[in-house]
């Protein structure tokens, strides 16, 4: 199958290293300027999230009353989204470790998610962020059950992927938790079943508490409203799952993102690593509230370049990263959630069938401006 | 206490099912940090300027705190530029005082002391650790006491003197305090010490080093001829303490000298020089050469260490620093706060290190 030419094919080694140096400089500048303002930001988000959760749960004690059901479910959905996206995901990346606050630290944080923080840090922080978009190494490419790039070999089961993708969206948190067990590796014989069983026990220990809280304890507190609170909590979980699934699928699968051969890892320089992260990720455009509710994964490109820089800083470095892409003729894939999610769904539908190689797939690359001699400086 | 404590634990355990993955404590702490049991906080409720560079902070803690013994210290955490910084300060209040007091001298160029002494307003929130330390009087109190202090080294001794004055003033009869600073105005707690000397049998020797020079063990022997017959508690700059320790070793009974150091002895090796790494959990010791990540050194010595990206991104490889210093191999920055987490894949040894992994 012919390879899609890489959007970075025109860059010389020196240019790649120059990009790396520019990004290193941005990183150093941001890290050097972290301070009280950032600490206040994360404390505010934590307080808002806890406030929303307590308010939502309290309102749902009266879930028999329809307006209370609606308001409580909305508050709880927002709380769960904030908890997973802007707090859990980012804190577990170590973005806030610099504050040296044992309460807000990648080694102590546990989140409202079926997957225990420890296993998720391994599958996400390590495997996905180190091997981003490397076929055969980055298990997040298709989450072991979907064909998201034409280079993946087609199997008949993929015919159903547009349907089971919808199912996955609804139970996304459980999908991730099961996926972290890497059952397919045990089937291949590269991971002992005893290890899978041990991890499954850990998962169950955590998950049963989650289930008990949402589907037994709080509903019991609502008395006669037991069933309507169960429904409200289930709805909030599904809202959170569908939302995070949409945001996360828009991070690497829309048109314009590239995947890579395993050989690329051999002797990969820091500059090449940076370029791979930029080519493999895609952003979402929107306002400040939208960015917070996506956990700033709307700045997926910046997040992949600097996974441990606090998320509240991605928006301010985005124009500078975009400027680098423009100057070096690299794509900076971005668009609204509706547009990006549309291309993801279209791709999943197309790739459900065999083929789907470069011809059908190729998207016009953005116009490449000639490299300018002196870098254009953005204001500020 | 037993029954109540048991009930409390059960209520807490039940509440945790409703708050998980958080603890009830996390929600209480969000509402009011003073209510947190796992991260005890204190609020600054009063400030007393002692000298131009020394301030006493009076602290209110909402929860019953572990009582300290006179002469002990507590950890004080403060958020500076968003980063929690911890330092140790001797408690200058009495165990029975309603407010806990620490007295901080601003060290030129210091990160924390200047902020605490000059820029911490009433109402500020600090974190506070449990009391600790062995710089305390034994029970019964020895008959003949000598205290030798210089500068901010008076703080633990002031705690001891205040406690003695309140609970057993007889012990102060015949006790000697030798306290040094540049000028009479610089002498921390100068007027309180003079008052104490006037109202009890305590003898106070002030030494103003701007006029009289630094205190040497010989000068001390001149003003306190029976020094060797006394149990001595000393706290001050490293130079003074080293000289006293040498003197007691040679001419006295080194068991009779009790020392509190504010600054650790200078590390034997230079920054990033490499050193011996002890991984305390796995019980493995390795030699890390200059510029060699702790992780690599540990692995070549056979330690099974958590690791992921091996380039400082994933935070899989962190361990807690128990003692010594590490050098960030990317920036050259040295970290040596015990309890701090360290990414072993991008940290080298700055001298000997113990790390919990
Ligand atoms: C058991 C114990 C009890 C202590 N009790 C008190 C107390 O009651 N009151 C008090 O003011 N301090 C006390 N200290 C010292 C205090 O913990 C800090 O070290 C001090 O406040 C300086 O902190 P910093 O962040 O300003 O300086 P840092 O930024 O940590 O250090 C800056 C430089 O100053 C040096 N330095 C640190 N402390 C001193 C000092 N005391 N004199 C001269 N140079 C120093 C350091 O070696 C370093 O080179 C105590 C220390 C210990 C270990
Ligand atoms: S192994 Fe990833 S930060 Fe150390």
């Amino acid at each position: 199958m012919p390879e899609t030419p890489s959007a970075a094919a025109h860059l010389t080694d020196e240019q790649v290293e120059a990009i790396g140096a520019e990004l290193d400089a941005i990183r150093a500048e941001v890290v050097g300027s972290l301070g009280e303002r950032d600490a206040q930001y994360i404390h505010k988000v934590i307080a808002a999230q806890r406030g929303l959760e307590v308010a939502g749960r309290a309102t749902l004690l009266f879930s028999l009353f329809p307006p209370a059901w609606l308001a409580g479910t909305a508050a709880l959905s927002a709380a769960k989204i904030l908890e997973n996206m802007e707090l859990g995901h980012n804190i577990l990346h170590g973005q806030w470790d610099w504050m040296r606050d044992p309460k807000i630290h990648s080694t102590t944080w546990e989140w409202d998610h079926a997957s225990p923080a420890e296993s998720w840090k391994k599958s996400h922080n390590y495997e996905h962020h180190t091997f981003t978009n490397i076929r055969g190494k980055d298990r997040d490419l298709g989450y072991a059950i979907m064909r998201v790039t034409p280079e993946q070999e087609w199997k008949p089961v993929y015919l159903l992927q547009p349907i089971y993708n919808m199912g996955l969206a609804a139970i996304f948190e459980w999908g991730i938790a099961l996926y972290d067990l890497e059952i397919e590796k045990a089937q291949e014989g590269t991971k002992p079943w005893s290890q899978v069983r041990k991890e499954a026990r850990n998962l169950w220990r955590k998950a049963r508490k989650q289930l008990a809280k949402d589907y037994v304890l709080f509903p019991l507190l609502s008395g006669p409203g037991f069933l309507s609170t169960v429904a409200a909590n289930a709805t909030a979980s599904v809202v959170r799952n569908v939302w995070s699934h949409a945001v996360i699928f828009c991070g690497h699968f829309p048109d314009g993102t590239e995947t890579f051969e395993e050989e690329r890892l051999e002797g990969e320089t820091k500059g090449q690593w940076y370029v791979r992260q930029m080519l493999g990720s895609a952003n979402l455009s929107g306002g400040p509230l939208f960015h917070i509710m996506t956990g700033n994964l709307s700045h997926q490109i910046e997040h992949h370049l600097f996974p441990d820089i606090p998320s509240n800083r991605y928006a301010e470095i985005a124009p500078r990263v975009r400027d680098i892409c423009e100057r070096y003729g690299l794509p900076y894939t971005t668009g609204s959630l509706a547009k990006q999610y549309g291309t993801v769904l279209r791709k999943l539908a197309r790739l459900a069938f065999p083929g789907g190689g470069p011809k059908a797939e190729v998207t016009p690359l953005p116009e490449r401006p000639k490299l300018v001699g002196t870098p254009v400086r953005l204001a500020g | 206490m037993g029954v109540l404590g048991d009930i409390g634990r059960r209520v807490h355990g039940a509440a945790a099912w409703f708050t998980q993955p958080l603890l009830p404590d996390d929600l209480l702490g969000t509402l009011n940090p003073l209510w947190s049991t796992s991260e005890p906080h204190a609020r600054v409720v009063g400030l007393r300027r002692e000298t131009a560079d020394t301030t006493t902070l009076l602290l209110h803690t909402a929860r019953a705190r572990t009582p300290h013994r006179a002469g002990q210290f507590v950890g004080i955490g403060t958020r500076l530029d968003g980063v929690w910084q911890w330092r140790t300060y001797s408690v200058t209040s009495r165990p029975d005082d309603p407010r806990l007091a620490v007295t901080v001298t601003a060290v030129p160029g210091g990160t924390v002391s200047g902020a605490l002494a000059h820029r911490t307003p009433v109402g500020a929130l600090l974190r506070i650790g449990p009391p600790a330390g062995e710089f305390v009087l034994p029970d019964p109190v020895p008959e003949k006491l000598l205290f030798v202090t210089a500068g901010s080294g008076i703080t633990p001794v002031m705690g001891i003197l205040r406690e003695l004055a309140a609970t057993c003033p007889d012990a102060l009869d015949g006790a000697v305090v030798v306290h040094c600073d540049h000028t009479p105005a610089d002498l921390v707690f100068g007027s309180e010490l003079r008052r104490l000397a006037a109202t009890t049998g305590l003898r106070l020797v002030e030494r103003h080093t701007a006029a009289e020079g630094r205190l040497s063990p010989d000068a001390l022997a001149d003003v306190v001829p029976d020094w060797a017959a006394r149990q001595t508690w000393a706290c001050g700059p490293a130079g003074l303490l080293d000289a006293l320790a040498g003197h007691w070793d040679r001419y006295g009974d080194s068991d009779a000298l009790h020392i509190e150091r504010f600054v650790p002895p200078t590390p034997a090796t230079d920054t990033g020089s490499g050193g011996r790494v002890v991984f305390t959990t796995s019980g493995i010791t390795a030699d890390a050469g200059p510029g060699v990540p702790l992780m690599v050194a540990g692995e070549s010595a056979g330690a099974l260490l958590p690791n992921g990206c091996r380039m400082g991104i994933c935070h899989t490889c962190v361990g807690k620093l128990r003692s010594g210093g590490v050098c960030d191999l990317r920036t050259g920055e040295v970290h040596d706060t015990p309890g701090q987490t360290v990414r072993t894949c991008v940290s080298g040894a700055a001298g000997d290190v113990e790390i919990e992994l």
Side-chain angles (χ1 to χ4, degrees):
Chain A
M1 186 173 302
E3 280 274 342
T4 325
S6 172
H10 62 289
L11 293 178
T12 64
D13 290 351
E14 288 74 32
Q15 286 171 330
V16 169
E17 293 321 300
I19 292 174
E22 284 199 43
L23 290 168
D24 277 341
I26 293 181
R27 176 193 176 81
E29 198 183 310
V30 176
V31 168
S33 70
L34 292 176
E36 189 56 29
R37 163 170 81 98
D38 305 279
Q40 281 178 8
Y41 170 79
I42 195 67
H43 279 274
K44 252 191 260 167
V45 177
I46 289 174
Q49 189 276 329
R50 291 181 185 170
L52 274 172
E53 171 143 12
V54 170
R57 303 248 181 220
T59 311
L60 287 173
L61 294 179
F62 312 98
S63 60
L64 273 182
F65 182 50
W69 192 94
L70 263 183
T73 306
L76 191 57
S77 306
K80 279 179 178 273
I81 286 173
L82 270 181
E83 202 272 353
N84 273 197
M85 312 287 280
E86 186 67 341
L87 296 178
H89 170 264
N90 293 334
I91 292 170
L92 289 176
H93 260 295
Q95 292 183 3
W96 300 94
D97 287 4
W98 61 273
M99 297 196 302
R100 295 207 230 140
D101 189 331
K103 285 278 184 195
I104 310 176
H105 200 276
S106 63
T107 54
T108 57
W109 193 264
E110 191 50 87
W111 58 342
D112 178 20
H113 192 284
S115 190
E118 222 29 68
S119 28
W120 190 80
K121 270 192 283 188
K122 177 170 170 291
S123 71
H124 179 84
N125 287 14
Y126 166 51
E127 290 183 356
H128 171 57
H129 275 271
T130 313
F131 305 121
T132 315
N133 284 28
I134 300 276
R135 296 189 295 275
K137 288 285 260 180
D138 180 2
R139 293 176 68 250
D140 284 16
L141 271 183
Y143 295 92
I145 52 168
M146 264 175 274
R147 186 167 177 253
V148 294
T149 166
E151 283 89 356
Q152 274 171 294
E153 205 182 315
W154 181 81
K155 285 187 248 165
V157 65
Y158 293 140
L159 284 170
L160 296 176
Q161 76 178 18
I163 298 163
Y164 61 65
N165 178 47
M166 290 294 129
L168 176 67
I171 55 151
F172 195 45
E173 125 185 66
W174 298 98
I176 298 273
L178 290 177
Y179 157 84
D180 282 351
L181 294 178
E182 303 176 317
I183 289 168
E184 85 282 358
K185 284 197 183 165
Q187 285 166 339
E188 289 162 10
T190 52
K191 178 178 177 174
W193 278 105
S194 58
Q195 179 70 17
V196 176
R197 274 195 296 275
K198 193 175 131 222
E199 290 172 16
R201 269 197 301 274
N202 277 347
L203 164 60
W204 174 239
R205 241 197 308 278
K206 168 141 195 234
R208 69 178 178 201
K209 285 197 191 163
Q210 302 278 108
L211 292 171
K213 171 178 166 176
D214 275 343
Y215 302 115
V216 182
L217 296 172
F218 275 102
L220 278 178
L221 276 191
S222 325
F226 184 91
L227 284 180
S228 57
T229 299
V230 166
N233 293 354
T235 306
S237 292
V238 169
V239 168
R240 182 259 318 268
N241 287 343
V242 169
W243 175 256
S244 54
H245 171 274
V247 169
I248 288 164
F249 270 57
C250 286
H252 300 290
F253 308 152
D255 291 350
T257 53
E258 272 180 44
T259 62
F260 308 90
E261 296 269 15
E262 209 169 319
E263 285 80 69
R264 174 165 177 128
L265 286 173
E266 273 167 40
E268 189 181 57
T269 64
K270 188 74 189 293
Q272 289 166 338
W273 183 85
Y274 272 136
V275 169
R276 172 158 63 86
Q277 301 300 328
M278 292 198 282
L279 297 182
S281 313
N283 280 6
L284 293 169
S285 51
L289 185 64
F290 173 77
H291 291 314
I292 291 179
M293 295 309 278
T294 64
N296 274 297
L297 291 181
S298 49
H299 295 111
Q300 188 76 244
I301 299 173
E302 288 73 22
H303 173 58
H304 261 269
L305 294 173
F306 311 118
D308 60 356
I309 280 187
S311 56
N312 62 321
R313 294 299 193 97
Y314 291 152
E316 78 188 35
I317 54 177
R320 301 171 65 181
V321 173
R322 190 175 191 144
D323 171 59
I324 291 177
C325 287
E326 277 167 11
R327 277 190 282 117
Y328 288 92
L330 293 173
Y332 183 86
T333 311
T334 184
S336 68
L337 178 65
K339 174 180 157 246
Q340 297 299 85
Y341 200 41
T343 79
V344 171
L345 293 182
R346 194 179 62 209
K347 189 189 262 187
L348 287 178
R350 172 61 192 91
L351 294 177
F353 299 95
K359 277 218 189 65
E361 174 72 5
V362 103
T363 42
L365 291 169
E367 188 120 322
R368 301 229 171 98
K370 284 228 164 55
L371 291 180
V372 280
T374 41
V376 188
R377 280 202 73 93
L378 289 184
Chain B
M1 185 63 203
V3 176
L4 277 185
D6 205 39
I7 295 176
R9 261 191 302 280
R10 274 176 207 207
V11 170
H12 191 271
W17 279 88
F18 288 88
T19 59
Q20 67 87 28
L22 301 177
L23 294 173
D25 192 58
D26 295 323
L27 291 180
L28 289 176
T30 305
L31 271 182
N32 182 346
L34 290 187
W35 294 341
S36 171
T37 42
S38 56
E39 283 300 325
H41 280 70
R43 193 179 291 284
V44 178
V45 290
L47 294 170
R48 216 167 39 223
R49 174 57 55 93
E50 306 287 353
T51 66
D53 59 0
T54 302
T55 305
T56 293
L57 306 162
L58 295 170
L59 305 175
H60 166 73
T61 50
R63 317 189 67 89
R65 51 171 199 265
T66 321
H68 73 277
R69 293 172 65 196
Q72 286 193 308
F73 54 81
V74 291
I76 297 280
T78 179
R79 204 168 86 193
L80 295 178
D81 291 335
V83 183
W84 281 98
Q85 305 276 4
W86 284 85
R87 295 289 186 275
T88 19
Y89 292 97
S90 309
V91 180
T92 49
S93 54
R94 295 187 42 232
D96 286 347
D97 285 347
R99 302 279 177 251
L100 187 115
V102 292
T103 305
V104 181
T105 300
V107 173
T111 315
V112 174
S113 58
L116 285 179
H118 296 308
R119 294 187 295 282
T120 301
V122 167
L125 270 179
L126 303 173
R127 283 186 182 176
I128 185 163
E134 298 303 319
F135 193 72
V136 292
L137 293 183
D139 188 20
V141 178
E143 267 180 35
K144 288 170 80 78
L145 291 169
L146 168 60
F147 301 97
V148 185
T149 62
S152 58
I154 184 65
T155 49
V157 168
M158 198 66 224
I160 293 173
L161 293 176
R162 285 174 173 166
E163 178 65 2
L164 285 181
T167 59
C168 93
D170 289 352
L172 290 178
D173 204 7
V176 182
V177 173
V178 180
H179 183 27
C180 319
D181 217 317
H182 301 287
T183 67
D186 292 324
L187 214 63
V188 180
F189 301 126
S191 54
E192 184 172 348
L193 287 169
R194 283 168 215 133
R195 212 176 327 122
L196 209 56
T199 53
T200 66
L202 176 76
R203 183 172 147 233
L204 173 67
V205 181
E206 287 184 33
R207 188 175 174 100
H208 308 135
T209 52
E212 302 165 75
R214 292 208 173 151
L215 181 74
S216 65
D218 289 335
L220 177 68
D222 286 344
V223 287
V224 191
D226 65 345
W227 63 272
R230 293 173 177 268
Q231 287 285 319
T232 303
W233 274 261
C235 181
L240 171 68
L241 298 180
D242 292 343
L244 293 180
H247 190 74
W248 255 254
D249 267 349
R250 269 190 301 269
Y251 308 110
D253 169 12
S254 52
D255 288 343
L257 178 67
H258 313 271
I259 283 183
E260 181 83 320
R261 286 182 186 272
F262 284 3
V263 211
T266 21
T269 31
D270 289 333
T271 305
S273 53
R276 175 150 294 192
V277 192
V278 180
F279 296 94
T280 56
T281 312
S282 35
I284 283 183
T285 303
D287 281 312
V292 176
L294 299 178
M295 173 184 283
V296 172
E299 285 175 341
S300 38
L304 189 65
L305 300 173
N307 68 95
C309 68
R310 309 179 76 93
M311 56 196 274
I313 295 174
C314 69
H315 291 256
T316 321
C317 60
V318 292
K320 251 191 202 158
L321 189 63
R322 200 183 272 180
S323 72
V326 298
C327 172
D328 188 320
L329 294 174
R330 302 169 303 174
T331 60
E333 238 182 300
V334 174
H335 303 284
D336 56 6
T337 315
Q340 185 168 0
T341 52
V342 165
R343 269 177 278 179
T344 51
C345 68
V346 288
S347 306
D352 294 352
V353 198
E354 277 184 286
I355 195 153
E356 283 179 29
L357 264 181

